[in-house]
Amino acid sequence: MAYSEDSQSAWELRVERHHLPYLMDWYHRKTRKPLIIRGARQVGKTTTVRMLAQSLDVGLIELNMEDDHTFEPLIEQNDPLKLFELIALERGMEVLDPEQVIIFFDEAQECPKLIAFLRYCYERAPQYRVIVTGSLLEFVLEDYQYSFPVGRVEFMYLGPLTFEEYLLAMGQRPLLNKLQNFKFDEGLIEPIQAILERHFRDYLVCGGMPAAVKVKADSGGMLEVERAKSEILEAYHADFPKYHKRSNTALLQTMFQQIPLRIGNKISPVKLATGTKARDIWAHLGFLELALLVRRSVHTGAGELPLASGIIEKRIKLLFLDVGLVQSTLGVSIPEIETSQDINSLAKGAIAEQYVGQHLMAERPFFEKPSLYHWDRPVQGSEAEVDFIVALDGKVIPVEVKGGTGGSMKALRLMLVEKKLSFALRFYSGPPRIDEYSVKTSGGQWPYHLMSLPHFMIKQWPRLVKEWVAHD
């Protein structure tokens, strides 16, 4: 059925993104709107749309806006039916059957007026399924010169492959099934945990960028994986001059190199680019965020929902796009990752914190812009920080990325007492377990439970917490 202009590779069809059920629901939903898929360059936006068409067994009209198209003069006429008819005629068809085709505009940043045109797709041709993506589309959306179709489009955010998507790409569905069916009362036998730990450490090197994952799946050679990641990083550097007319390419390059060195640390602008004015650094940090290469974690003092109610916007930590790219940029060797007794200690914790933060952001509904929070207390002589703060079923949950025992986490204990919380989550290089501790306070003992999970279980934490709460 498919009549995409670009053939799909066998690897593309083997990869399963967790976004596919959401996209299939969008396709079948009567209230759907034209969909804009947002994500950094090379996270697999185009591949995901092709996978959708393949899964639905429908045609895909793939239109790369970097190329010249005869229909472009019709865009400003705001008549989608006439434009779609021209597209059909060019392909030897009288009309495009809206029930049997997805119309896909790729690299839409090259044709900004296309975004305004989506309003008329929604209002005058709602029967057609229209998807738009672009590599640097965020810059167009941020500085849009046309009338933006507010309320007439919807968004979906896409990032690198998660660890569980990586397992599927490696052909490890039975192993993933074991992971997804784990229960505390049944445990996880040591040999299975060892296999999962090996794949997890491979993922730290490979990361979730589709090009690197494809190389790993095809050859298994880490040297080729490193080459693929190097090419991705070089492509990002080559994009810097395209960012913004007021951007400084040299400053962007400096900051791009510095940010992985400071993952997990509170950011002081001067440390990202010595000798540069703070306002210029903040502006260029904004450009890197628009490119979706960098994410910020913001301090929140909220002990209850919503977490955004207690934020201080300039008290931030930064994360990179992908843990595999962080490993390459930091130069952490493969033997170090393979043999480390505690992943949380590698590169001063940067590798583990990037991995955890990257996955926590991926937990949000796909239509929501990813966000991340942490807690810190910058009292001189009594500083404290909890790595991340998440929410589940109306409850605030502190998250630590640390080894050691739960009773030794001073900052976590401090936050639990201060915010009157009784449950926390920890990711570490150990077996899954739940422990009960208490903190001595002036009023007696403050009890709390700590759920400790191996890093490779990160996508399972919401399920496991809900099951434990229901059982407890």
Coordinates of all heavy atoms in Angstrom, one line a residue, residues 175-218:
L175 N 14.0 -10.6 26.8 CA 14.6 -10.0 28.0 C 13.8 -8.8 28.4 O 13.6 -8.6 29.7 CB 16.0 -9.6 27.6 CG 16.9 -9.1 28.7 CD1 17.1 -10.3 29.7 CD2 18.3 -8.7 28.2
L176 N 13.2 -8.1 27.5 CA 12.4 -6.9 27.9 C 11.1 -7.4 28.6 O 10.7 -6.8 29.5 CB 12.0 -6.1 26.6 CG 11.1 -4.9 26.9 CD1 11.7 -3.9 27.8 CD2 10.8 -4.2 25.5
N177 N 10.6 -8.5 28.1 CA 9.4 -9.1 28.8 C 9.7 -9.4 30.2 O 8.8 -9.2 31.1 CB 8.9 -10.3 28.0 CG 8.3 -10.0 26.6 OD1 7.9 -8.8 26.4 ND2 8.2 -11.0 25.8
K178 N 10.8 -10.0 30.5 CA 11.2 -10.3 31.9 C 11.3 -9.0 32.7 O 10.8 -8.9 33.8 CB 12.6 -10.9 31.9 CG 12.6 -12.4 31.4 CD 12.0 -13.3 32.5 CE 12.1 -14.7 32.1 NZ 11.5 -15.6 33.2
L179 N 11.8 -7.9 32.1 CA 11.9 -6.7 32.8 C 10.6 -6.1 33.1 O 10.3 -5.6 34.2 CB 12.8 -5.7 31.9 CG 13.1 -4.3 32.5 CD1 13.9 -4.5 33.8 CD2 14.0 -3.6 31.5
Q180 N 9.7 -6.1 32.1 CA 8.4 -5.5 32.3 C 7.4 -6.3 33.1 O 6.4 -5.8 33.6 CB 7.7 -5.3 30.9 CG 8.5 -4.3 30.0 CD 7.9 -4.1 28.6 OE1 7.3 -5.0 28.1 NE2 8.1 -3.0 28.0
N181 N 7.8 -7.6 33.4 CA 6.9 -8.4 34.3 C 7.5 -8.6 35.6 O 7.0 -9.4 36.4 CB 6.7 -9.8 33.6 CG 5.8 -9.6 32.4 OD1 4.8 -8.9 32.4 ND2 6.2 -10.3 31.3
F182 N 8.6 -7.9 35.9 CA 9.2 -8.1 37.3 C 8.3 -7.7 38.4 O 7.6 -6.7 38.3 CB 10.5 -7.3 37.3 CG 11.1 -7.1 38.7 CD1 11.8 -8.1 39.3 CD2 10.8 -6.0 39.5 CE1 12.3 -8.0 40.6 CE2 11.2 -5.8 40.8 CZ 12.0 -6.8 41.3
K183 N 8.3 -8.5 39.5 CA 7.6 -8.1 40.7 C 8.5 -8.3 41.9 O 9.3 -9.3 41.9 CB 6.3 -9.0 40.8 CG 5.3 -8.8 39.7 CD 4.1 -9.6 39.9 CE 3.0 -9.4 38.8 NZ 2.6 -8.0 38.6
F184 N 8.4 -7.4 42.9 CA 9.2 -7.5 44.0 C 9.1 -8.8 44.8 O 10.1 -9.4 45.3 CB 9.0 -6.4 45.0 CG 9.7 -5.1 44.7 CD1 9.1 -4.1 44.0 CD2 11.1 -5.0 45.0 CE1 9.9 -2.9 43.7 CE2 11.8 -3.9 44.7 CZ 11.2 -2.8 44.0
D185 N 7.9 -9.4 44.8 CA 7.7 -10.6 45.6 C 8.2 -11.8 44.9 O 8.3 -12.9 45.5 CB 6.2 -10.8 46.0 CG 5.3 -10.8 44.8 OD1 5.8 -10.7 43.6 OD2 4.1 -10.9 45.0
E186 N 8.5 -11.7 43.6 CA 9.1 -12.8 42.8 C 10.6 -12.7 42.7 O 11.3 -13.7 42.5 CB 8.4 -12.9 41.5 CG 7.0 -13.2 41.5 CD 6.3 -13.2 40.2 OE1 7.0 -13.0 39.2 OE2 5.1 -13.4 40.1
G187 N 11.1 -11.4 42.7 CA 12.5 -11.2 42.6 C 13.1 -11.3 41.1 O 12.3 -11.6 40.2
L188 N 14.3 -11.1 41.0 CA 15.0 -11.2 39.7 C 16.3 -12.0 39.9 O 17.2 -11.6 40.6 CB 15.3 -9.8 39.1 CG 15.8 -9.7 37.7 CD1 14.7 -10.1 36.7 CD2 16.3 -8.3 37.4
I189 N 16.3 -13.2 39.2 CA 17.5 -14.0 39.5 C 18.8 -13.4 39.0 O 18.7 -12.6 38.0 CB 17.3 -15.4 38.9 CG1 17.2 -15.4 37.4 CG2 16.1 -16.1 39.5 CD1 17.2 -16.8 36.7
E190 N 19.9 -13.7 39.6 CA 21.1 -13.0 39.4 C 21.6 -13.1 37.9 O 22.0 -12.1 37.3 CB 22.2 -13.5 40.3 CG 23.5 -12.6 40.4 CD 24.4 -12.9 39.2 OE1 24.4 -14.0 38.7 OE2 25.1 -11.9 38.8
P191 N 21.5 -14.3 37.2 CA 21.9 -14.3 35.8 C 21.2 -13.4 34.9 O 21.7 -12.8 34.0 CB 21.7 -15.8 35.5 CG 21.7 -16.5 36.8 CD 21.1 -15.6 37.8
I192 N 19.8 -13.3 35.1 CA 19.1 -12.3 34.3 C 19.5 -10.9 34.6 O 19.6 -10.1 33.7 CB 17.5 -12.5 34.5 CG1 17.1 -13.9 34.0 CG2 16.7 -11.5 33.8 CD1 15.7 -14.3 34.3
Q193 N 19.7 -10.6 35.9 CA 20.1 -9.2 36.2 C 21.5 -8.9 35.6 O 21.7 -7.8 35.1 CB 20.2 -9.1 37.7 CG 20.7 -7.7 38.2 CD 20.4 -7.4 39.6 OE1 19.4 -7.8 40.1 NE2 21.2 -6.6 40.2
A194 N 22.4 -9.9 35.5 CA 23.7 -9.7 34.9 C 23.5 -9.4 33.4 O 24.3 -8.6 32.9 CB 24.6 -11.0 35.2
I195 N 22.6 -10.1 32.7 CA 22.4 -9.9 31.3 C 21.9 -8.5 31.1 O 22.4 -7.8 30.2 CB 21.5 -11.0 30.7 CG1 22.1 -12.3 30.8 CG2 21.2 -10.6 29.2 CD1 21.2 -13.5 30.4
L196 N 20.9 -8.1 31.9 CA 20.3 -6.8 31.8 C 21.4 -5.7 32.0 O 21.4 -4.7 31.4 CB 19.1 -6.6 32.7 CG 17.8 -7.3 32.2 CD1 16.9 -7.4 33.4 CD2 17.2 -6.5 31.1
E197 N 22.2 -6.0 33.0 CA 23.3 -5.0 33.4 C 24.3 -4.8 32.2 O 24.7 -3.7 31.9 CB 24.0 -5.4 34.7 CG 25.0 -4.5 35.2 CD 24.5 -3.2 35.7 OE1 23.3 -3.2 36.1 OE2 25.2 -2.2 35.8
R198 N 24.6 -5.9 31.6 CA 25.5 -5.9 30.4 C 24.9 -5.0 29.3 O 25.6 -4.2 28.7 CB 25.8 -7.3 29.9 CG 26.7 -7.3 28.7 CD 27.2 -8.7 28.4 NE 26.2 -9.7 28.3 CZ 25.4 -9.9 27.2 NH1 25.6 -9.1 26.1 NH2 24.5 -10.8 27.2
H199 N 23.6 -5.3 29.0 CA 23.0 -4.5 27.9 C 22.9 -3.0 28.3 O 23.0 -2.1 27.5 CB 21.6 -5.0 27.6 CG 21.6 -6.3 26.8 ND1 21.9 -6.2 25.4 CD2 21.4 -7.6 27.1 CE1 21.9 -7.5 24.9 NE2 21.5 -8.3 25.9
F200 N 22.6 -2.7 29.6 CA 22.5 -1.4 30.1 C 23.9 -0.7 29.9 O 23.9 0.5 29.4 CB 22.1 -1.4 31.6 CG 22.5 -0.1 32.3 CD1 21.9 1.1 32.0 CD2 23.5 -0.1 33.3 CE1 22.2 2.3 32.6 CE2 23.8 1.1 34.0 CZ 23.2 2.3 33.6
R201 N 25.0 -1.3 30.2 CA 26.3 -0.7 30.0 C 26.6 -0.5 28.6 O 27.2 0.5 28.2 CB 27.3 -1.5 30.8 CG 27.1 -1.5 32.3 CD 28.1 -2.1 33.1 NE 27.8 -2.1 34.5 CZ 28.6 -1.8 35.5 NH1 29.8 -1.4 35.3 NH2 28.2 -1.8 36.8
D202 N 26.2 -1.4 27.7 CA 26.3 -1.2 26.3 C 25.6 0.1 25.8 O 26.0 0.8 25.0 CB 25.8 -2.4 25.5 CG 26.8 -3.5 25.5 OD1 28.0 -3.3 25.9 OD2 26.5 -4.7 25.1
Y203 N 24.3 0.2 26.4 CA 23.5 1.4 26.1 C 24.2 2.7 26.5 O 24.1 3.7 25.8 CB 22.1 1.2 26.7 CG 21.2 2.4 26.5 CD1 20.5 2.6 25.4 CD2 21.1 3.4 27.5 CE1 19.7 3.7 25.2 CE2 20.3 4.6 27.3 CZ 19.6 4.7 26.1 OH 18.8 5.8 26.0
L204 N 24.9 2.7 27.6 CA 25.6 3.9 28.1 C 26.6 4.4 27.0 O 26.8 5.6 26.9 CB 26.2 3.7 29.4 CG 25.3 3.5 30.6 CD1 26.2 3.3 31.9 CD2 24.3 4.6 30.8
V205 N 27.2 3.4 26.3 CA 28.2 3.7 25.3 C 27.5 4.1 24.0 O 27.8 5.1 23.4 CB 29.1 2.6 25.1 CG1 30.1 2.9 24.0 CG2 29.9 2.2 26.4
C206 N 26.5 3.3 23.6 CA 25.9 3.5 22.3 C 24.9 4.7 22.4 O 24.9 5.5 21.5 CB 25.1 2.2 22.0 SG 24.1 2.4 20.4
G207 N 24.2 4.8 23.5 CA 23.2 5.8 23.6 C 21.9 5.5 22.8 O 21.8 4.3 22.3
G208 N 21.0 6.4 22.6 CA 19.8 6.2 22.0 C 19.6 6.9 20.6 O 18.5 6.9 20.1
M209 N 20.7 7.5 20.1 CA 20.5 8.1 18.8 C 20.4 7.0 17.7 O 21.2 6.1 17.6 CB 21.7 9.0 18.5 CG 22.0 10.1 19.5 SD 20.5 11.2 19.6 CE 20.6 12.0 18.0
P210 N 19.3 7.0 16.9 CA 19.0 5.9 16.0 C 20.2 5.5 15.1 O 20.4 4.3 14.9 CB 17.9 6.5 15.2 CG 17.2 7.4 16.1 CD 18.3 8.1 16.9
A211 N 21.0 6.5 14.6 CA 22.1 6.1 13.7 C 23.1 5.2 14.5 O 23.7 4.3 13.9 CB 22.8 7.4 13.2
A212 N 23.4 5.6 15.7 CA 24.3 4.8 16.5 C 23.7 3.4 16.9 O 24.4 2.4 16.8 CB 24.7 5.5 17.8
V213 N 22.5 3.4 17.2 CA 21.8 2.1 17.6 C 21.8 1.2 16.3 O 22.0 0.0 16.5 CB 20.4 2.4 18.1 CG1 19.6 1.1 18.3 CG2 20.4 3.2 19.4
K214 N 21.5 1.8 15.2 CA 21.5 1.0 13.9 C 22.9 0.3 13.7 O 22.9 -0.9 13.4 CB 21.1 1.8 12.7 CG 21.1 1.0 11.4 CD 20.7 1.9 10.3 CE 20.5 1.1 9.0 NZ 21.7 0.3 8.6
V215 N 23.9 1.1 13.9 CA 25.3 0.5 13.7 C 25.5 -0.6 14.7 O 26.0 -1.7 14.4 CB 26.3 1.6 13.9 CG1 27.7 1.0 14.0 CG2 26.3 2.6 12.7
K216 N 25.1 -0.4 16.0 CA 25.3 -1.4 17.0 C 24.5 -2.7 16.7 O 25.0 -3.8 16.8 CB 24.8 -0.9 18.4 CG 24.9 -1.9 19.5 CD 26.4 -2.1 19.9 CE 26.5 -2.9 21.2 NZ 26.0 -4.3 21.1
A217 N 23.2 -2.5 16.2 CA 22.4 -3.7 15.8 C 23.0 -4.4 14.6 O 22.9 -5.6 14.6 CB 21.0 -3.2 15.6
D218 N 23.5 -3.7 13.7 CA 24.0 -4.3 12.5 C 25.4 -5.0 12.7 O 25.6 -6.1 12.1 CB 24.2 -3.3 11.4 CG 22.8 -2.8 10.8 OD1 21.8 -3.5 11.1 OD2 22.8 -1.8 10.1

